[in-house]
Amino acid sequence: MEKVFINWIIGMVDIGEYDEEVIAYGLIQGATALLGIVIALLMGAKLGIFLQSCIFMISFIPLRMYAGGYHASTKCRCAVISFILLLIFFLGIKYWNISGLNTLLLGITESILLFVQIPVDGTCALEPMEKIVYKNRGRKILFIETIFFVGMSILKYDFLAEPMAAVFTLVLVLLFLGKIKSWHMRR
C-alpha cells in the first residue's frame, strides 16, 4: 500500500532516479509524523483534554526537534515508546494535582535546566557548527515557550500552563536518557 501511494505521487511529477528515493523517504517520514500527531490528538480527545493535547504537541514538536536527546533505534520501538510516554504525560495532565505556584516553580526550574542542556546528541553526534545552530534555535523556542508558560501561570490559566510544564518535563527526561544512551555507546 505504501509503495503504491509513493509511486502514484512520484508518477505525478517528472523526477530523476536519485530524487525518487529522497521524495519517497520524505513522504514516509511526513506520513509517519502526521499519523503520530493524529494519534496524540485522538488520545487527548478520548481523555477529555483535547485543548491541552494540542498545546502539548504544538510546544513539544519544535522544542524536541532542537533539544535532541534519546531516539529509539527502530520505527516500531519509537512508536511504542512515544505512545506510552504520551499516554503517561496526558494522564498526568488530566490528573495534575499540583497548585499553580508549584507548577510555575517546576516549569521555571525545568526551563532553566533545559536552557543549560540543549542540545543533547541523539542517534548521531552533531557537528560543532550544527550544535551551535541547534542550541540557538532550541533556546529561542524554549524562551518563547517559557514566556507563554509564565504568562498562562500568572493569569491562572492552569489548563494551558500544565501541558507546558509536562512538555518541559518530557524533554528533560529525553535529554537525560539521551545522555545515558550516548554514554553507553561510548563505552
Side-chain angles (χ1 to χ4, degrees):
M1 180 69 174
E2 183 179 282
K3 280 272 195 205
V4 172
F5 177 70
I6 290 170
N7 289 337
W8 176 74
I9 293 213
I10 291 173
M12 294 174 60
V13 182
D14 184 31
I15 57 172
E17 191 175 311
Y18 173 76
D19 292 335
E20 190 172 307
E21 267 184 47
V22 173
I23 291 171
Y25 179 79
L27 288 171
I28 291 168
Q29 293 299 105
T32 303
L34 184 60
L35 180 62
I37 292 168
V38 168
I39 289 171
L41 296 179
L42 288 173
M43 187 188 313
K46 185 72 175 160
L47 290 170
I49 57 164
F50 181 74
L51 177 60
Q52 291 93 329
S53 67
C54 289
I55 296 295
F56 184 95
M57 294 306 290
I58 289 168
S59 303
F60 177 73
I61 292 169
L63 186 57
R64 171 72 166 133
M65 283 173 52
Y66 293 103
Y70 177 81
H71 286 280
S73 53
T74 67
K75 282 185 184 182
C76 183
R77 188 174 292 161
C78 176
V80 170
I81 291 170
S82 296
F83 181 83
I84 291 168
L85 286 174
L86 282 175
L87 182 60
I88 290 168
F89 277 83
F90 283 2
L91 287 170
I93 291 167
K94 181 174 176 77
Y95 297 109
W96 193 265
N97 286 326
I98 300 175
S99 72
L101 179 60
N102 288 332
T103 300
L104 178 62
L105 293 174
L106 175 67
I108 289 173
T109 302
E110 292 172 328
S111 184
I112 292 167
L113 291 171
L114 284 169
F115 186 83
V116 171
Q117 294 297 314
I118 290 174
V120 170
D121 290 336
T123 307
C124 51
L126 294 171
E127 296 293 327
M129 196 62 191
E130 286 177 311
K131 200 167 251 194
I132 292 169
V133 169
Y134 274 62
K135 179 181 281 193
N136 290 338
R137 289 181 184 168
R139 286 179 170 180
K140 285 176 186 172
I141 291 165
L142 178 63
F143 179 76
I144 292 166
E145 291 183 3
T146 302
I147 295 299
F148 177 81
F149 166 76
V150 169
M152 294 304 101
S153 295
I154 290 171
L155 294 172
K156 303 217 183 290
Y157 290 129
D158 292 337
F159 69 100
L160 297 175
E162 290 164 358
M164 300 295 299
V167 165
F168 296 159
T169 303
L170 179 54
V171 174
L172 269 175
V173 167
L174 292 171
L175 293 184
F176 177 72
L177 292 175
K179 283 182 178 266
I180 290 173
K181 185 177 181 180
S182 176
W183 179 74
H184 278 290
M185 289 174 66
R186 286 193 308 256
R187 290 180 69 204

